[in-house]
Amino acid sequence: QVQLVESGGGLVQAGGSLRLSCTASGRTFSRYAMGWFRQAPGKEREFVAAISWSGGISTTYADSVKGRFTITRDNAKNTVYLQMNSLKPEDTAVYYCAAREGYGGTVYYTGARYTDWGQGTQVTVSS
């Protein structure tokens, strides 16, 4: 089990950028596949981006964020990042990071496949 803490959320104008961080406890962070999800008010949680464990770096993105968001990881810091550029009002949501034991280059874009979740960080994009 790993504990996750997100940070970096806030209020930004449309077109702006934010970088979210998710720091994990534990010594085996490099073996975890990581993901970012978001949930807007009145909507279901949706997949944003995912990255495989360090054995085979693969990434995948939701179509709605492809080309604007980038997921990366720094295993020395036990941290996964979500760089968000060209933000739109529809990106407004609570953003959650998630973790699960990884296998090779596999990425996971279904929330049910993850075993550990952070508490979330609010991102608000004004028009």
Side-chain angles (χ1 to χ4, degrees):
Q1 190 174 12
V2 62
Q3 293 183 334
L4 305 171
V5 179
E6 301 99 332
S7 61
L11 173 64
V12 64
Q13 289 188 333
S17 298
L18 282 174
R19 188 178 76 161
L20 305 184
S21 300
C22 173
T23 301
S25 63
R27 301 180 180 178
T28 59
F29 174 75
S30 62
R31 296 190 61 84
Y32 280 84
M34 304 295 294
W36 284 98
F37 293 77
R38 67 187 182 186
Q39 187 167 20
K43 295 187 177 182
E44 294 186 352
R45 182 181 61 195
E46 65 175 359
F47 168 76
V48 175
I51 189 167
S52 63
W53 76 292
S54 63
I57 294 296
S58 300
T59 58
T60 189
Y61 299 90
D63 288 343
S64 59
V65 306
K66 201 171 293 183
R68 299 188 298 123
F69 291 11
T70 303
I71 185 171
T72 57
R73 65 190 300 157
D74 184 339
N75 291 330
K77 296 182 178 180
N78 278 15
T79 300
V80 62
Y81 302 98
L82 186 67
Q83 178 66 44
M84 306 186 295
N85 298 329
S86 302
L87 283 161
K88 304 175 181 180
E90 51 264 44
D91 294 319
T92 295
V94 177
Y95 283 70
Y96 300 89
C97 73
R100 63 153 290 147
E101 187 175 357
Y103 296 94
T106 305
V107 290
Y108 304 89
Y109 50 85
T110 303
R113 302 295 297 273
Y114 289 88
T115 56
D116 301 281
W117 293 83
Q119 83 289 348
T121 186
Q122 176 71 46
V123 171
T124 303
V125 184
S126 63
S127 58

